[in-house]
Amino acid sequence: MKTLKNLNVDKVTAAIEADACQTLPGLREALTEAKSGQFAQTHTSAQIAKRRGRPVGSTQAVTKEAVKLRLDADILAALRASGDGWQTRINDTLRASLALAGKVKAHPAV
């Protein structure tokens, strides 16, 4: 990018406003910032840290725990063949089975 150290803010502002046939609020300030090297928005470490990660409210309150589970090959193949979300369906099936046995509470219908 071309250096703007020698930019004459007054001349450029006058030329742009003459071309636009009106005064443009904030133009002089924007050109002054550009001349000093402050292009677009200044990013601080706090602003960057605030934007990182998942959006607020996009995670569930109750998290699940990763476990290693050994299943028969034919059972696993059938579950995977049922499409995306098969792990969630396994969880729902186990919950329903344990709810019938009175071991856990069933999830309310959504």
Side-chain angles (χ1 to χ4, degrees):
M1 179 174 277
K2 201 173 192 180
T3 181
L4 300 174
K5 284 192 296 184
N6 299 325
L7 177 71
N8 186 327
V9 174
D10 293 327
K11 278 187 177 180
V12 172
T13 302
I16 292 173
E17 289 179 340
D19 191 43
C21 299
Q22 63 180 350
T23 55
L24 300 171
L27 177 61
R28 184 177 308 282
E29 293 78 15
L31 289 172
T32 304
E33 286 179 7
K35 182 177 180 178
S36 67
Q38 299 176 5
F39 300 102
Q41 180 182 4
T42 303
H43 297 287
T44 64
S45 58
Q47 290 172 324
I48 293 169
K50 186 167 65 170
R51 291 186 305 200
R52 293 182 63 182
R54 293 182 183 256
V56 175
S58 68
T59 58
Q60 296 176 348
V62 178
T63 58
K64 295 182 180 179
E65 186 175 339
V67 296
K68 185 173 182 176
L69 179 65
R70 298 177 63 84
L71 300 172
D72 293 333
D74 59 336
I75 299 293
L76 185 58
L79 290 167
R80 286 184 174 159
S82 68
D84 289 341
W86 62 271
Q87 292 139 324
T88 301
R89 286 191 294 278
I90 289 173
N91 188 73
D92 294 343
T93 302
L94 289 171
R95 176 171 293 282
S97 176
L98 290 169
L100 286 174
K103 303 288 184 182
V104 296
K105 291 183 182 179
H107 273 285
V110 178

